[in-house]
């Protein structure tokens, strides 16, 4: 085994001796687990921080974030040999890359390293969890496993989050981190990213959600990183928008400005103020909020419609400026179709707008005759790069990033027509004959790595974390207004050798705006990280419910005591198909939550209370498609059915349906069926309502949480009703019993041994059943 760590020792006092001794102990611990691996100096320095703290590591793309996790995995397993290591990544191709690194450098039999994705069934994951020691997983499936109690995360000694900047809002990383901190016997978190966010608020949110205590940052200019950074030459190529494009854009600009004049007359905008897309979306959100609060006057509704038109025109302008006439024609045809079918009011109004119509007429005359100058320039660049007369170009690799899939398809087609081997790399969603399964994505990346083809045209799916060694040139077909995406795109080159980046920019268009926006955001990001790193609190962290996170043994013992199951905990059964719902995450720590298949409703709060849960959108959709009436008839089988509608959206505006249809259905629900309907603000509000109702039901001893219909209809339902009423059986046990014994009589006459053979009926339940069936009743 080669020596892995090197150091020069000098010290002046015993504290220094102790510190150095501790560091050597840490390093010695990892040697037995690592193969063919020598860490860099900055990796050793960062590793030292990570061993003692939940740490966020911010490193430029391609300089070895995964290596730090590799070292930490070795260290934690050396400390806790029977523990598990878990690394989460947002996509399957990414976690497969991590697994390959570990198989190459980690001294552990391959059978103990497992990949979890949505393609592995929950039952199989639960089985593999028991035998695996290092698990690589996407977060969504793991979140569901935790919710359904299929896996035990208490024995994980290291939890890693790659692309940790995603840990905002309701992303699955947050729930997994929260549960891990609450349950783990030996918690340690390592978060990895090249770009954690551009402002204090976002970075602090990520740190809070992942319980970060220290931040370690290195940039390309840091002295300990510089020796490993390859030079990346960045070149901007400017093109001019042709007169034919400008002519069309002139009418779109006029249409755009006319809408702002109308908004000003309604009192919603100020003359002379320039509104960005972000401002427009913010204004739209504010108006939606007003409408949700009952402000439905003409001016407010008209302003909302105008803003929808503004957003559509803004997109059309962006297409003509940055993509080309074919993309614009396809988009405007779509709007015309929506106008003809009366699908959206904004499209109808635009089809009547004189300037928008004039732009469309101009477009029809020139489409197909002119290509965007960026496409012309792109073909010229690729032709020069892959000059067939130069044999060295055979192994060259070029990635072209395109914001729009339509443009990506066109670029791929044009380059293949020129004789260059080109493939389109996109996500799984099927759109116009494009869309790649994760298996196909992996195959394509392997082919590109082996230079089976030279040019990869990629949508945003190729920006994040994919390790494609030695890409000679990265081309931005357009700049993006995001520091994170700019950093990720740029990180695809300059990994093993010097790299090059070319940005195609149309002069005096949104391309130039987006270039400067991303550049300024990137500068602000590093400045903000520096400020946060200096001032970041190392005091005890709290989880998102305000509970203290255990740091010391005493803290931990208190935490374990707090988390022991309480006998008086509310019991709620949720339909397992709701497992992606944020309501379940809110209920998980506060109730005894069971996931089962419910034939009726979504949440069972007692034997008489069943709840049908819908978002505002789903509620209106279920009126239109007719599902709701069927669901109402089923809900009436329970004594106290209830409907909860979650969301603050205006219920009359989420779909094109007459308000009287909605009012009529609400009247039917509450009067004809006598079913109460409650509207909640959000998932937290919904969970609080569910717990309040469950508490009333269960505290007052009215009924246990069992599948008990108020009016069993068929003989089958009556049999299920009868058996489900037996202690601790419920519907989950009733059906296996009836399936095994065929009828109620055979169940009652069965021996204790025969009862044990049935799924979900163990020795304890079988004995209880026999006592009920056989013992004499006593007064």
């Amino acid at each position: 085994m080669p020596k892995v760590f090197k150091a020069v020792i000098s010290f002046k006092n015993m504290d220094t001796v102790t510190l150095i001794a501790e560091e050597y102990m840490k390093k010695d611990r990892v040697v037995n687990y690592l193969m063919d691996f020598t860490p860099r100096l900055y990796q050793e320095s960062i590793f030292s921080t990570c061993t003692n703290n939940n740490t966020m590591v911010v490193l430029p793309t391609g300089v070895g974030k995964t290596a730090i996790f590799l070292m930490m995995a070795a260290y934690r397993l050396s400390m806790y040999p029977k523990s598990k290591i878990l690394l989460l990544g947002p996509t399957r191709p990414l976690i497969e890359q991590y697994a390959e690194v570990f198989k190459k450098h980690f001294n552990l039999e391959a059978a103990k390293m497992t990949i979890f994705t949505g393609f592995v069934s929950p039952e199989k994951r639960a089985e593999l969890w028991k035998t695996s020691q290092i698990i690589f997983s996407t977060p969504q499936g793991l979140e569901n496993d935790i919710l359904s109690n299929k896996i035990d995360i208490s024995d994980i000694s290291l939890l890693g989050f790659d692309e940790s900047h995603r840990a905002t809002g309701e992303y699955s990383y947050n729930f997994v981190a929260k549960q891990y901190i609450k349950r783990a016997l030996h918690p340690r978190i390592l978060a990895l990213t090249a770009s954690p966010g551009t402002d204090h608020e976002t970075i602090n949110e990520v740190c809070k959600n992942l319980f970060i205590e220290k931040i370690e940052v290195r940039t390309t200019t840091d002295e300990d990183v510089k020796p490993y950074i390859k030079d990346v030459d960045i070149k901007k190529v400017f093109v001019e928008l042709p007169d034919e494009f400008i002519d069309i854009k002139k009418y779109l600009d006029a249409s755009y400005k006319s809408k702002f004049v109308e908004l000003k007359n309604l009192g919603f905008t100020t003359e002379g103020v320039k509104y960005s897309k972000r401002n427009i979306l913010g204004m739209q959100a504010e108006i939606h909020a007003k409408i949700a609060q009952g402000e439905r006057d003409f001016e407010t509704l008209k302003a909302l419609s105008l803003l929808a038109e503004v957003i559509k025109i803004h997109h059309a302008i962006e297409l003509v400026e940055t993509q080309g006439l074919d993309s614009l024609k396809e988009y405007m045809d779509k709007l015309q179709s929506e106008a003809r079918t009366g699908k959206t009011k904004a499209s109808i109004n635009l089809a009547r707008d004189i300037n928008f119509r004039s732009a469309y007429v101009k477009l029809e005359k020139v489409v197909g005759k002119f290509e965007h100058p960026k496409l012309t320039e792109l073909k010229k660049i690729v032709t020069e790069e892959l000059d067939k007369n130069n044999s060295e170009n055979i192994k060259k690799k070029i990635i072209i990033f395109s914001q729009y899939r339509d443009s990506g398809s066109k670029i791929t087609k044009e380059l293949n027509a020129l004789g260059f081997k080109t493939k389109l790399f996109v996500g799984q969603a099927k759109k116009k004959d494009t869309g790649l399964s994760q298996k196909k994505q992996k195959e394509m990346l392997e082919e590109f790595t082996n230079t089976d083809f030279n040019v990869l045209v990629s949508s945003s799916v190729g920006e994040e974390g994919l390790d494609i060694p030695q890409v000679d040139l990265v081309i931005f077909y357009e700049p993006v207004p995001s520091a994170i995406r700019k950093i990720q795109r740029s990180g695809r080159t300059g990994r093993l050798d010097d790299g090059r980046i070319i940005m195609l920019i149309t002069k005096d268009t949104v391309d130039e705006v987006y270039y400067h926006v991303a550049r300024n955001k990137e500068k602000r990001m590093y400045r903000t990280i520096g400020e946060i790193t200096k001032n970041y609190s190392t005091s005890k962290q709290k989880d998102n419910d305000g509970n203290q996170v255990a740091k010391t043994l005493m803290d931990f013992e208190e935490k374990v005591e707090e988390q022991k199951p309480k006998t008086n905990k509310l019991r709620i059964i949720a339909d397992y198909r709701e497992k992606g719902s944020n309501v379940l995450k809110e209920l998980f720590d506060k109730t005894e939550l069971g996931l089962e298949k419910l034939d009726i409703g979504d949440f069972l709060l007692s034997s008489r209370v069943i709840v049908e849960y819908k978002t505002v959108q789903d509620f209106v959709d279920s009126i239109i498609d007719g599902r709701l009436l069927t669901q109402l008839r089923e809900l009436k089988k329970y004594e106290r059915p209830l409907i909860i509608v979650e969301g603050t959206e205006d219920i009359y505006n989420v779909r094109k349906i007459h308000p009287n249809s909605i009012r009529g259905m609400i009247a039917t629900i509450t009067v004809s069926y006598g079913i109460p309907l409650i509207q909640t603000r959000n998932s937290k509000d919904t969970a609080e309502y569910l717990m309040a109702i469950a508490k009333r039901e269960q505290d007052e001893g009215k009924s246990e949480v069992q599948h008990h219909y108020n009016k069993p209809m068929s003989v089958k339902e009556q049999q299920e009703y009868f058996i489900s009423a037996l202690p601790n059986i419920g519907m989950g046990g009733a059906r296996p019993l009836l399936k095994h014994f065929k009828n109620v009589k055979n169940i009652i006459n069965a021996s204790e041994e025969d009862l044990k053979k049935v799924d979900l009926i163990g020795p304890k339940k079988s004995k209880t059943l026999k006592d009920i069936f056989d013992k004499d009743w006593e007064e």
Side-chain angles (χ1 to χ4, degrees):
M1 183 70 62
K3 184 148 181 77
V4 177
F5 293 97
K6 304 179 184 121
V8 176
I9 302 175
S10 63
F11 52 85
K12 295 179 181 178
N13 55 50
M14 286 309 295
D15 288 340
T16 308
V17 173
T18 303
L19 182 61
I20 293 172
E22 286 175 356
E23 290 304 308
Y24 262 87
M25 284 174 67
K26 290 175 186 177
K27 295 171 183 179
D28 286 343
R29 278 183 172 139
V30 307
V31 172
N32 292 333
Y33 279 103
L34 299 181
M35 306 181 295
D36 304 320
F37 173 80
T38 303
R40 298 165 178 174
L41 180 60
Y42 63 88
Q43 290 170 339
E44 288 191 50
S45 175
I46 293 170
F47 164 75
S48 180
T49 301
C50 297
T51 57
N52 296 316
N53 304 277
N54 292 343
T55 307
M56 175 188 283
V57 176
V58 183
L59 278 176
T61 300
V63 296
K65 291 187 292 291
T66 308
I68 295 167
F69 189 83
L70 192 76
M71 295 158 68
M72 278 297 295
Y75 175 67
R76 297 296 285 181
L77 282 185
S78 70
M79 290 184 69
Y80 310 105
K82 294 184 179 179
S83 68
K84 297 182 189 295
I85 306 295
L86 174 61
L87 178 56
L88 298 180
T91 64
R92 182 183 174 186
L94 269 177
I95 62 170
E96 285 175 343
Q97 284 180 188
Y98 311 146
E100 289 302 315
V101 171
F102 268 72
K103 285 173 185 174
K104 183 178 178 182
H105 295 295
F106 209 85
N107 187 18
L108 187 72
E109 55 187 289
K112 290 191 175 183
M113 292 191 253
T114 305
I115 294 174
F116 281 14
T117 67
F119 293 95
V120 183
S121 70
E123 292 73 22
K124 184 66 174 174
R125 285 201 300 267
E127 184 184 322
L128 287 169
W129 184 270
K130 294 172 184 175
T131 58
S132 302
Q133 195 156 24
I134 300 180
I135 299 106
F136 308 91
S137 179
T138 49
Q140 293 83 5
L142 198 88
E143 178 183 73
N144 293 334
D145 291 337
I146 294 170
L147 281 168
S148 55
N149 288 308
K150 289 186 181 296
I151 61 172
D152 177 14
I153 60 173
S154 65
D155 57 352
I156 297 171
S157 62
L158 176 64
L159 173 57
F161 296 96
D162 195 28
E163 308 296 347
S164 59
H165 54 269
R166 287 178 172 246
T168 58
E170 299 293 343
Y171 193 65
S172 297
Y173 277 1
N174 307 345
F175 177 76
V176 175
K178 179 180 176 182
Q179 295 308 316
Y180 174 67
I181 286 294
K182 285 187 173 185
R183 299 178 180 201
L185 297 172
H186 310 290
R188 179 63 70 237
I189 286 175
L190 177 58
L192 307 169
T193 183
S195 42
T198 56
D199 56 72
H200 283 79
E201 186 180 342
T202 303
I203 297 171
N204 276 320
E205 182 186 0
V206 171
C207 290
K208 181 184 176 185
N209 288 339
L210 300 184
F211 304 93
I212 298 302
E213 300 159 343
K214 293 280 187 181
I215 303 174
E216 281 280 356
V217 185
R218 298 292 188 280
T219 67
T220 54
T221 58
D222 285 320
E223 291 302 322
D224 54 352
V225 176
K226 265 185 183 179
Y228 306 99
I229 297 295
K230 303 298 179 182
D231 289 332
V232 176
D233 177 59
I234 301 175
K235 179 182 177 184
K236 299 187 290 291
V237 174
F238 290 93
V239 299
E240 302 271 0
L241 206 60
D243 291 340
E244 292 78 9
F245 287 56
I246 293 171
D247 202 18
I248 295 167
K249 181 178 175 294
K250 178 178 67 177
Y251 287 103
L252 291 174
D253 285 338
S255 178
Y256 190 72
K257 288 172 186 173
S258 71
K259 305 303 173 188
F260 274 99
V261 170
E262 290 187 67
L263 282 165
K264 175 186 166 290
N265 293 337
L266 291 170
F268 284 88
T269 58
T270 305
E271 191 171 359
V273 176
K274 210 168 184 181
Y275 290 90
S276 67
K277 187 175 181 179
R278 185 175 179 179
N279 297 142
I280 294 164
L281 292 172
M283 201 187 312
Q284 189 183 48
E286 286 175 14
I287 292 175
H288 271 300
K290 284 184 179 180
I291 291 171
Q293 292 167 6
E295 295 184 37
R296 297 179 54 80
D297 55 87
F298 170 80
E299 287 79 9
T300 302
L301 294 174
K302 178 66 176 173
L304 186 64
S305 180
L306 283 167
L307 284 171
E309 293 170 47
V310 164
I311 290 167
K312 291 179 187 297
I313 301 167
H314 186 282
H315 184 63
I317 292 170
E318 189 167 320
L319 289 176
V320 73
E321 287 185 346
T322 69
Q323 305 302 311
L325 301 183
D326 290 337
S327 296
L328 178 64
K329 177 70 164 57
E330 193 166 337
Y331 179 62
M332 293 187 80
D333 282 346
K334 176 175 166 261
L335 296 181
Q336 294 288 342
S337 174
E338 288 175 359
R340 284 193 297 272
T341 58
K343 194 172 180 182
T344 66
K345 194 172 182 180
S347 296
I348 294 169
N349 290 341
L350 285 177
R352 294 172 181 163
D353 183 282
I354 185 64
N355 287 309
F356 199 82
R357 280 165 48 202
S358 298
Y360 188 67
V361 170
K362 288 277 185 184
L363 173 64
E364 285 187 309
K365 289 179 180 177
V366 295
V367 71
K369 296 178 181 177
F370 303 93
E371 67 182 18
H372 198 287
K374 286 200 293 189
L375 183 58
T376 307
E377 190 64 37
L378 177 69
K379 291 190 285 188
K380 179 182 170 186
I381 292 167
V382 173
T383 301
E384 290 173 357
E385 291 293 327
L386 300 178
D387 180 4
K388 293 173 184 175
N389 296 321
N390 187 342
S391 60
E392 291 181 6
N393 291 337
I394 295 172
K395 291 295 180 182
K396 257 192 180 179
K397 289 199 281 285
I398 300 171
I399 296 181
I400 301 167
F401 283 110
S402 172
Q403 173 82 347
Y404 296 99
R405 193 180 285 198
D406 289 343
S407 295
S409 296
K410 184 171 181 63
I411 292 166
T412 304
K413 184 179 176 182
E414 293 283 334
L415 293 180
N416 276 314
L418 292 174
F420 303 115
K421 294 178 183 177
T422 307
K423 291 194 177 183
L424 179 64
F425 186 75
V426 294
Q428 297 180 75
K430 294 288 182 185
K431 296 177 184 175
K432 300 174 193 168
D433 301 321
T434 63
L436 295 173
S437 67
Q438 290 186 336
K439 183 181 177 183
K440 290 287 185 186
Q441 288 176 357
K442 185 181 179 185
E443 289 173 0
M444 189 179 289
L445 290 175
E446 286 174 354
E447 290 173 5
F448 186 58
T449 299
N450 298 330
T451 328
D452 294 341
F453 62 96
N454 301 94
V455 185
L456 185 77
V457 180
S458 177
S459 65
S460 60
V461 75
E463 294 173 353
E464 193 168 59
L466 296 182
D467 185 17
I468 305 166
Q470 209 154 339
V471 174
D472 301 279
L473 173 65
V474 167
I475 301 174
F476 288 37
Y477 192 66
E478 67 284 291
V480 283
S482 162
I484 290 173
R485 292 183 62 196
K486 175 184 176 290
I487 290 166
Q488 288 173 333
R489 282 185 174 191
S490 303
R492 300 311 110 208
T493 189
R495 296 169 85 88
L496 297 181
D497 289 311
D498 292 347
R500 293 163 55 224
I501 295 171
I502 293 177
M503 293 187 180
L504 297 174
I505 301 172
T506 313
K507 282 184 180 177
D508 303 318
T509 69
V510 73
D511 272 352
E512 283 197 291
V513 175
Y514 285 172
Y515 168 76
H516 290 293
V517 166
R519 190 162 169 264
N520 291 334
K521 281 183 177 179
E522 187 176 359
K523 287 179 180 177
R524 188 165 74 242
M525 181 186 80
Y526 287 117
R527 188 168 62 246
T528 303
I529 293 170
E531 292 167 2
I532 289 176
T533 303
K534 286 176 188 174
N535 304 315
Y536 197 72
S537 172
T538 57
S539 62
K540 277 190 176 182
Q541 290 264 339
K542 292 185 177 181
D543 65 26
N544 294 332
D545 292 330
N547 301 314
Q548 205 79 53
V549 175
K551 293 287 184 63
T552 67
L553 181 59
M554 188 177 293
D555 287 337
F556 181 71
E557 287 170 347
E558 289 171 1
K559 200 78 177 166
V560 169
E561 193 61 35
E562 287 171 15
Q563 291 167 24
K564 284 182 180 175
K566 305 290 191 300
T567 54
N568 61 345
K569 217 172 190 183
L570 295 173
R571 183 159 187 254
I572 293 177
I573 295 175
D575 187 86
Y576 76 93
R577 288 162 291 193
E578 290 292 321
K579 60 191 175 186
S581 163
N582 290 322
V583 177
L584 293 193
K585 298 177 196 175
E586 294 290 341
L587 293 171
F588 188 70
D589 290 322
K590 300 168 185 173
T591 67
E592 184 186 328
L593 185 65
L595 293 184
E596 296 181 15
K597 182 182 178 183
L598 296 180
D599 294 327
I600 299 171
D602 299 305
F603 295 94
L604 186 64
L605 307 184
S606 72
S607 61
R608 65 180 195 155
V609 178
I610 190 74
V611 178
E612 179 70 29
Y613 162 74
K614 294 183 181 296
T615 61
V616 170
Q617 179 75 53
D618 184 42
F619 180 75
V620 177
D621 288 345
S622 66
I623 294 173
I624 294 170
D625 62 29
R627 280 181 293 131
L628 190 52
L629 282 172
T630 303
Q631 289 168 337
L632 293 175
R633 287 192 288 271
E634 290 295 303
L635 288 171
K636 285 299 288 181
K637 292 181 180 179
Y638 280 84
E639 186 181 343
R640 292 283 189 271
L642 173 69
I643 295 175
I644 287 181
V645 179
E646 178 185 295
T648 57
E649 303 95 322
D650 180 10
I651 201 167
Y652 300 112
N653 278 326
V654 294
R655 287 287 300 270
K656 193 176 176 65
I657 177 175
H658 198 282
N660 284 343
S661 297
I662 297 173
R663 295 184 188 110
M665 180 54 72
I666 292 173
T668 299
I669 293 167
T670 54
V671 179
S672 302
Y673 282 89
I675 299 176
L677 189 150
I678 297 173
Q679 184 163 14
T680 60
R681 296 191 308 273
N682 49 41
S683 56
K684 189 176 181 65
D685 196 22
T686 300
E688 292 295 335
Y689 264 107
L690 292 173
M691 288 188 291
I693 296 165
K695 189 173 189 302
R696 283 182 66 88
E697 288 291 296
Q698 294 169 34
D699 278 2
E700 296 175 17
K702 288 177 182 171
S703 55
E704 296 177 7
V705 184
Q706 294 182 352
H707 305 258
H708 238 188
Y709 302 159
N710 184 35
K711 300 174 184 175
M713 306 298 290
S714 66
V715 171
K716 177 188 174 186
E717 287 172 338
Q718 292 182 61
Q719 289 170 329
E720 290 174 349
Y721 175 90
F722 182 88
I723 298 300
S724 71
L726 295 167
N728 300 315
I729 297 301
M731 199 60 71
R735 286 174 179 154
L737 282 166
L738 286 164
K739 186 176 180 181
H740 184 86
F741 290 108
K742 306 302 183 189
N743 58 49
V744 174
K745 180 182 176 182
N746 289 344
I747 295 172
I748 293 171
N749 292 333
S751 69
E752 193 173 328
E753 288 302 314
D754 287 338
L755 288 168
K756 284 182 195 175
K757 295 175 184 175
V758 180
D759 289 343
L760 305 179
I761 309 296
K764 192 174 178 181
K765 285 184 183 178
S766 59
K767 186 178 185 310
T768 302
L769 289 176
K770 287 310 293 177
D771 287 345
I772 292 168
F773 297 154
D774 297 346
K775 283 188 176 180
D776 292 337
W777 178 76
E778 296 176 1
E779 290 190 43

